[in-house]
Each structure stands twice: as C-alpha cells, then as structure tokens.
Amino acid sequence: MTNEPLPPYEPPSGPTPPSSAVPPPVTPPPSMPPLNPPPPPPPPGSPYEPAKGPGPGGRDNVQLYGIIGIVTAVACCGPLGILFGWLSMKEARERGGDQTLGKVGFWLGIAFTAISLLGALAWCAALAIGGSMSSNYHY
C-alpha cells in the first residue's frame, strides 16, 4: 500500500442533456403508519349484544325492593311492604326476573295491614265499651 494521492475527479464524457429536459418523476417515500391505529372489529358473540340485567345506568333492584318490602311489612308498616313488594314485582316483570320476593313482600304487607286495621278497630271498640261501662255517679 502506497500513500499516493488519488487523481482528481473527472465527470463522465458523453452527450449532455439539454437544459429543457424534464427531470425523472420523484416518488414520495412510503407513508408512516398512524400512531394510534383504530381498534380491531369486535369478534362475533361479543359483549355488545343486548344482555338481560340492569338497564342503562341502573342496578337490578328486584331483590332490594323485595327484601325491603318484607322487612317493612313485618317490622313496622304494612303499606310500605305493599309498595316495595309491588315495585319489586314490576321490576321483575320488566327485566324477566323472579317475582317471588316481591310477591312475599306484597302479600305480607296486605296481611299485616289488615291485622293492624283489625287491631285498631278492636282497640277502639274496647275503649268505647269500657268507657260506657264506667260509672261517673258517686253515691
């Protein structure tokens, strides 16, 4: 290997193109893939099919209303048991669920309301009879 300098560059000899010649077309570089590609389509049988259960923005209140109906009918207030039992049955019909808890709350509410009314009627009768038997006469 020798350290001799290279000869100077000489352009190739040949005909020179005229200045009005059209340059070859420029092909653009390939485009870049998008940064966030769209998601793939859902597979068949996906969770996008309508499902039974809570409606839009809501919970399934069938059991909740049924239990509240039973508890209120037995513990304190029969008419509330009727109300919550009816609400439970209505929601179960709309959603295609079981109406058992609603029916139990509804009928217990009716039964305890009837017992309460009969008890109140008996109490009023006892007061009326007892009050009429007492004597205010002092001999």
Side-chain angles (χ1 to χ4, degrees), residues 15-123:
T16 59
S19 61
S20 65
V22 178
V26 178
T27 57
S31 64
M32 297 290 293
L35 294 178
N36 295 323
S46 68
Y48 298 109
E49 296 175 1
K52 290 185 178 179
R59 293 179 8 208
D60 190 8
N61 292 326
V62 174
Q63 289 184 342
L64 175 68
Y65 289 155
I67 291 171
I68 291 174
I70 293 170
V71 170
T72 56
V74 173
C76 64
C77 185
L80 281 178
I82 295 170
L83 172 71
F84 282 109
W86 178 79
L87 286 173
S88 175
M89 289 190 300
K90 178 181 173 247
E91 288 241 351
R93 268 191 308 264
E94 289 174 358
R95 300 186 190 284
D98 187 23
Q99 297 183 12
T100 305
L101 284 176
K103 288 180 180 179
V104 170
F106 182 78
W107 289 109
L108 280 176
I110 289 175
F112 278 93
T113 300
I115 290 171
S116 298
L117 290 176
L118 289 175
L121 186 62
W123 184 74

